[in-house]
Amino acid sequence: VARAWVQVIDDTGFVAGTVSDGNGRFRVGGLAPGTYHVHVVDQSATFAPVWWRHAPTFSGPSRADVVIGTGPSLIAVHLS
């Protein structure tokens, strides 16, 4: 989804965020190695907000791991 708000959250709270481009792609740089929750919100409110891997709540989602030296990580989030 174009111009969706992407939030990266760890167990202590909000870490970083960005807005997806016109093709729905996004990049969040500068993350320390660790495990993060990824939450995507469609700013137009056409689609419901979603956690990565379609979990309905913060406590349920699979987490995205960030590892040093592995190059860019790619995750796909689909809003419906």
Side-chain angles (χ1 to χ4, degrees), residues 47-59:
F47 301 101
V50 67
W51 293 93
W52 184 52
R53 295 217 175 149
H54 300 285
T57 66
F58 177 83
S59 62

Side-chain angles (χ1 to χ4, degrees), residues 31-52:
L31 296 174
T35 303
Y36 300 91
H37 300 276
V38 179
H39 189 232
V40 180
V41 179
D42 175 16
Q43 293 185 52
S44 71
T46 301
F47 301 101
V50 67
W51 293 93
W52 184 52

